[in-house]
Amino acid sequence: MQEYSLSHLKELEAEAIHIIREVAAEFQNPVMLYSIGKDSSVMVRLAEKAFYPGKVPFPLMHIDSKWKFKEMIEFRDSYARDNNWDLIVEYNKEAFEAGVGPFTHGSKVHTDIMKTQALLAALDKHKFDAAFGGARRDEEKSRAKERIFSFRDKFHQWDPKNQRPELWDIYNTKVHKGESIRVFPISNWTELDIWQYIRLENIPIVPLYYAKERPIVEYNGTLIMVDDERMPQELAQKATMRKVRFRTLGCYPLTGAIESEADTIEKIVEEMMTVTVSERTTRVIDFDQDGSMEQKKREGYF
Amino acid sequence: MNTNSKIDIHEFLNRDEKKDLLRLLTCGSVDDGKSTLIGRLMFDSKMIYEDQLAALERDSKRIGHAGEEIDYALLLDGLKAEREQGITIDVAYRYFSTNKRKFIIADTPGHEQYTRNMVTGASTANLAIVLVDATKGVITQTRRHTFLVSLLGIKHVVLAVNKMDLVDFSEQRFNEICSQYKQFVSQLDIPDVQYIPLSALKGDNVVETSERLPWYEGKSMLHFLETVHISSDRNFEDLRYPVQFVSRPDRDFRGFCAKIASGIIKKGDTIMVLPSRKTSTITSIVTYDGELEQAFPPQSVTITLAHEIDISRGEMLVHPDNLPHIERQFEAMLVWMDEKPMNPNTQFYIKHNTNTTKARFDTIRYKVDVNTLEKSDITHLELNEIGRVVITTVKPLFFDAYKKNRNTGSFVLIDPVSHNTCAVGMIIDKIHADGLPQRITDADKQKIDTGIGLISQQEYENRYNQKGATIWITGLHGSGKNQLAYSLERQLFNQDAIVVLFDGSTVRSGLSKELDYSPADRAENLRRVAEVCKVLNDQGIITICSFISADDSVRKQVSSIIGAERFTLVYMDADLDYCKNNKPELYSLIEQGKIDNLPGIDCAYDIPTSADIVCKPHDLEDNVQKIIHYLIEKGIKK
């Protein structure tokens, strides 16, 4: 008998496509949250696959904290244009004009105002009833227990003690008016799966993931790239050119680089397979307090 | 992972990307060393990073429960509240991979009140590791876990006899525990059971086989997990393609998207659409990566058909020679998942594949005690309870028994008010008319207060000069029931009686228009007729009913709805040859296989043993007179 079996990546792909189609079929007004990172790039490709040869029946939305790397914004705009996506960009205009940023207000306040609050306002503004996110369960301990379809009340709150049971591949999509669901189609992927899939499928990603000489400042042990003139002068002056790449991408002052020679996808995967620290060590926002991701999630941040 | 590999990175990656995926469930408590086992599997496959290990060592000293040792449970527990309470309260998913396979572990707690979580973790698992402590042997918890694993249809179970170091790696102790377990597991339906002695704490037999267990000739835990054959566990025989999404990007393309639930779909296959039973052929299997010649579970694909058939989400494509059950009623094992206990009188939403409809409970047969497997009668289920129930849905579902097909045999129930997932179920089979009679009377359901009319029954009887009653004529198709009914109605009418007549075609074309000929719908059809007769009889009118009504238990229920004292059962006693001669059209259809469910042919006709009047088809006049005589005798007709 012929062997009918799928590779782990193809099985994860089939699962994600099923999840994405289920949302498109069951919700009135879904949206895919787009962070421009590698996980988003994979999720976006999975959506394209799910509806091929048709167009994806929902838009992408990027919450711009206004402190993203310039290369991320360029990548976002060209990807959406070239691939015929409807792209929504939202940001907290009031706070931006008042000058909120990580250098002046600290990472916690900045993240809360420019990311969490901006996201919640945007979800309300467009009345989205389902929002895809690219979170993975292997990223962080509190995410290991999150459902694929994660229920949020009308205040966008997540209650870890009151999650809906999720069995087989049957997803409960019932919500009352004003309530919503966050959906994580790549929940079961690991960081290594993501990189392997990017290689296998030749998925475009922001060039910041590849090692290159970049102007770097060492700040509290983290390697920060000088991306624009808003970096305080006393720090920016200390910048030296170092060959670095990024394992995760976010706001440039909050995202640490790693020294690396990996300038091809193969080298990145190879580096991933031998790496000894987890990817979140390069995310400054995690260090705030124990259980901090869980706190942020309860408040509505992914 | 291969760290010092000298081989070409491209070649290595190409191979690595082709690894398959094993989903496993671990059952046991922290005391059994479950977290230690998982932690070690992850640690030895280098899925714990240095920063996580450092945090772990720090936390172990601060809040750990393992003394000076590293407390792996801290690595696995996610949520703050749980950490403080020192328990895991939910299902957590862990990931690790080796050169051979990628693994997803559903990690669930062992506490009794968390049946819900174990059932959740088991629903997607290919394999379960059941941990026992070698010093304690098989305990209640072991039996409970194993029962749940078999209930959820997991085909491979490994009994991990842990803490072998504490029993001096004794072969005798190991064999003792294995035979205890074998005795229990033989009552359950698990095709593959393996036994591995190990010490998670010391690392014996976890990754490498241990010299301290020289008598053990099997594989280490990890080696077993890497090599157990799982791809043939899926159902590749019965094509079930539950349409999830219809893709119409332009006028020329109409694609039907689904994740294949079971079976193989091939380009050129003839398929049948359920419920319409229209057929067509597959013209293409479309994916982003190019067209396929065939597809199999669990692939998510899009297909196009040769004919323009209107198909929407919730319908199912199958091979015409291999149909699922298409029924509104079935029996299932149900696990109650909600804090709010079951209210057996409410309707729930049921989600089955891509179909959502409403469902109600007909019968709650019994509850199973997860510890003793004893069955007991109950009126409803509460959180973490498991019971066997009969469910009727508003729309027919396309299903198979869970044992045969995990994807088309499973469903969830959703509370209509809170929208919580309140129960999950595994279908045992459809209900057969024989053995499992339809229940259409609601004796134990809440009584509704009815209004009291201003005209008494006595007044009706005086006015019409008769008593309200029902003459129910049963018999095979073609036995002459209708002819008798019409003649009887004519005679009674001529004699000034007030009569209303019901026959199958009249009711089927109106009152019961949406029902089919399945046993459940046949019963529902008769329930409606019985209820109408009751109302008419209450108001002094005589009703004549002519229905095959093949099932004796259904006839008894009809009688109890109407009231036994005013129900007269007439049996039209005609043999099958007479019926075939009388109505050859329908009988020839069934011989050609075009219809099914015809009583007396492919489903049973229960000959009434307690009919009030038995008629032979030849003497129509006599039959009519016999019945009228009977009515006068009983005081129904004055």
Side-chain angles (χ1 to χ4, degrees):
Chain A
M1 189 190 110
Q2 193 179 343
E3 179 91 350
Y4 294 107
S5 102
L6 289 180
S7 73
H8 70 288
L9 289 175
K10 283 291 171 190
E11 188 168 338
L12 291 172
E13 177 190 81
E15 177 183 83
I17 289 174
H18 174 250
I19 293 162
I20 292 168
R21 286 173 174 169
E22 192 69 4
V23 171
E26 295 264 83
F27 287 87
Q28 302 287 324
N29 193 19
V31 67
M32 183 165 274
L33 298 176
Y34 181 57
S35 75
I36 326 177
K38 61 183 192 301
D39 301 314
S40 279
S41 293
V42 166
M43 185 166 65
V44 162
R45 169 61 58 87
L46 291 166
E48 290 164 355
K49 286 195 172 196
F51 301 103
Y52 176 86
K55 186 174 166 5
V56 179
F58 44 77
L60 286 183
M61 181 165 78
H62 177 230
I63 303 301
D64 191 350
S65 69
K66 293 292 183 183
W67 287 86
K68 300 291 177 197
F69 292 92
K70 286 196 293 276
E71 283 177 76
M72 290 173 72
I73 303 299
E74 284 159 20
F75 179 88
R76 175 194 76 192
D77 292 341
S78 71
Y79 188 86
R81 197 178 49 240
D82 297 348
N83 295 280
N84 194 24
W85 274 90
D86 295 326
L87 174 70
I88 299 169
V89 177
E90 294 287 352
Y91 69 104
N92 188 337
K93 189 162 179 283
E94 214 174 297
F96 176 63
E97 283 165 2
V100 172
F103 291 121
T104 47
H105 294 71
S107 67
K108 198 167 172 346
V109 171
H110 167 75
T111 303
D112 180 49
I113 294 178
M114 298 306 286
K115 292 174 89 173
T116 309
Q117 299 306 326
L119 170 65
L120 300 189
L123 291 173
D124 285 343
K125 175 181 162 189
H126 296 279
K127 299 193 165 53
F128 292 123
D129 53 1
F132 291 102
R136 308 186 320 265
R137 284 175 180 151
D138 81 321
E139 270 178 89
E140 206 271 339
K141 277 194 278 186
S142 77
R143 282 190 175 155
K145 298 176 184 192
E146 176 129 10
R147 304 293 187 257
I148 291 172
F149 280 61
S150 181
F151 176 77
R152 305 300 161 104
D153 67 16
K154 57 183 180 222
F155 305 107
H156 305 283
Q157 301 274 309
W158 178 65
D159 180 359
K161 289 236 161 157
N162 192 19
Q163 299 198 79
R164 292 175 172 177
E166 199 164 82
L167 285 89
W168 302 291
D169 56 4
I170 310 178
Y171 302 105
N172 178 351
T173 54
K174 292 263 178 220
V175 290
H176 291 107
K177 207 173 176 324
E179 297 167 346
S180 62
I181 298 264
R182 300 277 172 92
V183 184
F184 304 107
I186 56 171
S187 283
N188 283 325
W189 298 51
T190 61
E191 189 184 8
L192 188 57
D193 295 331
I194 294 286
W195 283 116
Q196 289 191 327
Y197 192 73
I198 288 172
R199 174 183 179 270
L200 189 71
E201 299 286 321
N202 207 7
I203 295 172
I205 48 170
V206 183
L208 290 162
Y209 285 113
Y210 297 108
K212 199 181 130 183
E213 296 276 336
R214 295 186 169 97
I216 294 296
V217 177
E218 198 163 333
Y219 180 71
N220 285 349
T222 307
L223 306 183
I224 304 291
M225 178 176 151
V226 183
D227 197 50
D228 62 29
E229 69 296 337
R230 289 179 293 178
M231 165 93 72
Q233 267 307 306
E234 64 273 23
L235 282 176
Q237 280 165 5
K238 294 183 199 157
T240 54
M241 294 303 281
R242 287 161 83 167
K243 192 158 189 187
V244 296
R245 66 176 199 89
F246 293 86
R247 260 176 97 181
T248 65
L249 290 177
C251 298
Y252 84 80
L254 299 178
T255 311
I258 52 168
E259 294 206 82
S260 168
E261 294 293 324
D263 52 5
T264 64
I265 188 77
E266 282 75 22
K267 287 182 190 168
I268 292 175
V269 180
E270 194 177 8
E271 192 178 277
M272 279 308 310
M273 287 179 155
T274 54
V275 73
T276 56
V277 294
S278 70
E279 64 181 322
R280 288 217 155 257
T281 51
T282 61
R283 285 243 169 130
V284 180
I285 53 168
D286 270 6
F287 297 123
D288 293 346
Q289 65 201 82
D290 198 19
S292 62
M293 266 312 266
E294 192 191 326
Q295 197 64 36
K296 290 199 181 69
K297 269 172 54 179
R298 280 177 191 255
E299 288 159 3
Y301 176 72
F302 271 86
Chain B
M1 259 175 248
N2 207 329
T3 50
N4 331 311
S5 158
K6 292 270 183 285
I7 58 162
D8 176 50
I9 181 73
H10 289 273
E11 191 192 310
F12 175 73
L13 292 179
N14 288 340
R15 213 172 49 211
D16 203 65
E17 281 155 2
K18 292 194 176 68
K19 290 192 297 205
D20 69 351
L21 178 62
L22 177 80
R23 297 179 197 243
L24 65 132
L25 170 76
T26 50
C27 326
S29 67
V30 179
D31 301 337
D32 302 324
K34 182 183 59 152
S35 301
T36 316
L37 178 64
I38 299 171
R40 192 169 276 281
L41 286 170
M42 291 174 74
F43 185 75
D44 288 341
S45 63
K46 309 213 171 39
M47 287 307 286
I48 297 177
Y49 293 118
E50 279 173 9
D51 57 311
Q52 291 173 330
L53 189 65
L56 181 63
E57 279 170 357
R58 200 175 58 231
D59 287 354
S60 295
K61 293 200 179 97
R62 194 160 56 94
I63 45 175
H65 297 272
E68 283 305 301
E69 307 260 7
I70 289 182
D71 185 355
Y72 286 102
L74 291 177
L75 181 81
L76 307 182
D77 288 357
L79 302 183
K80 223 171 157 181
E82 298 169 33
R83 262 207 241 175
E84 280 151 17
Q85 291 162 25
I87 50 161
T88 339
I89 54 165
D90 208 310
V91 191
Y93 295 90
R94 316 286 167 200
Y95 304 83
F96 74 99
S97 58
T98 68
N99 289 332
K100 303 215 172 57
R101 249 188 190 152
K102 171 176 165 138
F103 299 92
I104 301 180
I105 304 182
D107 180 19
T108 62
H111 311 273
E112 181 167 14
Q113 60 269 45
Y114 299 120
T115 293
R116 174 170 65 175
N117 300 326
M118 233 199 85
V119 165
T120 303
S123 72
T124 50
N126 312 100
L127 176 147
I129 299 178
V130 176
L131 269 121
V132 295
D133 181 334
T135 62
K136 293 183 189 146
V138 174
I139 56 173
T140 304
Q141 182 182 270
T142 319
R143 286 189 278 267
R144 178 202 313 152
H145 291 161
T146 309
F147 168 65
L148 292 175
V149 161
S150 85
L151 183 71
L152 270 288
I154 295 181
K155 294 194 162 81
H156 308 273
V157 169
V158 194
L159 186 79
V161 181
N162 191 23
K163 303 193 185 178
M164 286 302 292
D165 52 318
L166 300 183
V167 295
D168 299 325
F169 300 97
S170 155
E171 181 178 10
Q172 195 199 335
R173 179 64 184 147
F174 175 73
N175 287 339
E176 231 170 75
I177 293 171
C178 294
S179 69
Q180 276 175 3
Y181 191 73
K182 263 176 206 149
Q183 207 175 4
F184 171 73
V185 85
S186 63
Q187 311 166 37
L188 304 168
D189 190 22
I190 303 172
D192 174 28
V193 184
Q194 301 291 331
Y195 302 83
I196 301 181
L198 52 87
S199 165
L201 192 69
K202 310 282 180 200
D204 299 272
N205 254 357
V206 177
V207 176
E208 303 292 338
T209 47
S210 167
E211 288 168 6
R212 295 196 283 184
L213 294 156
W215 46 266
Y216 173 71
E217 286 168 355
K219 293 170 179 170
S220 73
M221 179 59 84
L222 187 64
H223 188 204
F224 174 72
L225 295 179
E226 282 179 325
T227 51
V228 58
H229 190 70
I230 48 160
S231 61
S232 57
D233 293 350
R234 291 187 193 275
N235 178 330
F236 295 114
E237 280 80 55
D238 314 309
L239 175 66
R240 306 288 182 254
Y241 190 89
V243 175
Q244 187 187 17
F245 188 87
V246 180
S247 171
R248 300 215 63 178
D250 55 55
R251 294 169 63 91
D252 301 329
F253 187 89
R254 189 201 295 233
F256 304 100
C257 310
K259 183 172 166 192
I260 300 166
S262 62
I264 316 283
I265 194 163
K266 292 195 174 85
K267 195 171 160 178
D269 274 1
T270 300
I271 52 90
M272 179 183 272
V273 184
L274 299 177
S276 70
R277 294 186 184 244
K278 288 181 181 151
T279 56
S280 185
T281 47
I282 310 262
T283 45
S284 62
I285 304 173
V286 181
T287 78
Y288 180 95
D289 305 302
E291 290 198 9
L292 303 175
E293 285 302 309
Q294 58 173 9
F296 54 88
Q299 284 181 300
S300 288
V301 296
T302 299
I303 58 149
T304 59
L305 297 177
H307 306 87
E308 270 217 18
I309 308 180
D310 195 23
I311 304 173
S312 27
R313 174 178 163 89
E315 299 186 20
M316 185 182 269
L317 310 188
V318 297
H319 286 141
D321 58 352
N322 180 338
L323 303 187
H325 296 301
I326 306 160
E327 297 281 341
R328 291 179 50 238
Q329 197 173 40
F330 52 83
E331 232 183 325
M333 292 304 289
L334 199 74
V335 185
W336 199 257
M337 309 288 273
D338 204 348
E339 305 278 347
K340 197 173 109 188
M342 168 204 278
N343 175 350
N345 295 318
T346 24
Q347 276 204 339
F348 294 86
Y349 290 111
I350 181 168
K351 189 166 182 186
H352 171 263
N353 289 135
T354 54
N355 251 317
T356 305
T357 179
K358 287 208 163 183
R360 68 178 163 84
F361 296 108
D362 288 318
T363 312
I364 299 155
R365 295 203 183 283
Y366 56 77
K367 174 181 108 169
V368 186
D369 185 311
V370 288
N371 293 323
T372 61
L373 307 192
E374 272 167 20
K375 294 168 187 169
S376 56
D377 287 344
I378 38 148
T379 56
H380 70 281
L381 292 171
E382 299 196 8
L383 178 62
N384 290 316
E385 288 186 339
I386 298 168
R388 183 165 173 156
V389 298
V390 180
I391 287 178
T392 296
T393 57
V394 170
K395 278 198 310 187
L397 297 179
F398 322 119
F399 62 84
D400 300 278
Y402 184 79
K403 215 177 125 176
K404 231 179 103 193
N405 197 325
R406 231 171 161 181
N407 291 319
T408 57
S410 54
F411 63 88
V412 305
L413 296 182
I414 299 169
D415 186 285
V417 180
S418 72
H419 288 176
N420 202 0
T421 302
C422 55
V424 301
M426 288 131 291
I427 297 173
I428 294 170
D429 215 335
K430 69 166 189 172
I431 298 280
H432 292 284
D434 47 342
L436 296 161
Q438 313 306 314
R439 204 185 62 140
I440 56 175
T441 48
D442 279 348
D444 56 353
K445 294 227 167 133
Q446 287 155 351
K447 286 265 179 273
I448 302 165
D449 285 335
T450 46
I452 299 162
L454 298 176
I455 305 161
S456 73
Q457 210 165 331
Q458 192 59 50
E459 284 177 89
Y460 282 124
E461 286 176 13
N462 291 345
R463 166 74 60 90
Y464 299 148
N465 204 27
Q466 64 184 35
K467 278 186 180 166
T470 296
I471 298 116
W472 189 279
I473 309 171
T474 173
L476 293 173
H477 181 80
S479 60
K481 298 183 301 298
N482 285 355
Q483 214 183 353
L484 174 63
Y486 295 145
S487 305
L488 178 64
E489 183 195 23
R490 180 78 244 176
Q491 275 301 318
L492 288 170
F493 183 83
N494 288 351
Q495 298 176 21
D496 294 334
I498 314 291
V499 196
V500 174
L501 183 138
F502 296 98
D503 62 35
S505 48
T506 313
V507 174
R508 285 283 184 179
S509 61
L511 185 61
S512 293
K513 208 171 169 176
E514 85 286 13
L515 299 180
D516 59 27
Y517 290 87
S518 65
D521 275 9
R522 280 176 187 273
E524 170 61 17
N525 181 43
L526 297 184
R527 184 191 68 81
R528 291 178 189 183
V529 174
E531 295 287 355
V532 176
C533 288
K534 177 182 185 302
V535 172
L536 292 173
N537 292 169
D538 281 348
Q539 300 183 22
I541 291 162
I542 295 172
T543 51
I544 303 170
C545 299
S546 167
F547 294 93
I548 299 176
S549 44
D551 191 307
D552 189 52
S553 85
V554 172
R555 288 193 300 257
K556 288 203 169 93
Q557 293 174 82
V558 164
S559 155
S560 88
I561 289 171
I562 293 169
E565 70 291 348
R566 56 188 190 190
F567 178 82
T568 301
L569 186 65
V570 178
Y571 170 43
M572 201 63 195
D573 181 12
D575 60 41
L576 199 54
D577 287 341
Y578 175 87
C579 297
K580 282 183 180 169
N581 273 328
N582 199 16
K583 283 277 172 65
E585 317 82 30
L586 200 64
Y587 285 99
S588 72
L589 281 180
I590 192 150
E591 275 155 22
Q592 295 160 31
K594 289 185 178 158
I595 57 163
D596 51 17
N597 278 341
L598 190 63
I601 305 287
D602 62 340
C603 71
Y605 177 84
D606 301 338
I607 294 169
T609 50
S610 55
D612 299 295
I613 301 165
V614 178
C615 296
K616 287 284 177 188
H618 306 288
D619 354 281
L620 182 62
E621 252 337 281
D622 281 4
N623 290 337
V624 171
Q625 287 315 319
K626 199 152 68 177
I627 296 170
I628 291 180
H629 191 76
Y630 180 89
L631 295 179
I632 293 169
E633 204 171 81
K634 290 277 169 186
I636 293 166
K637 188 174 170 335
K638 310 255 155 107

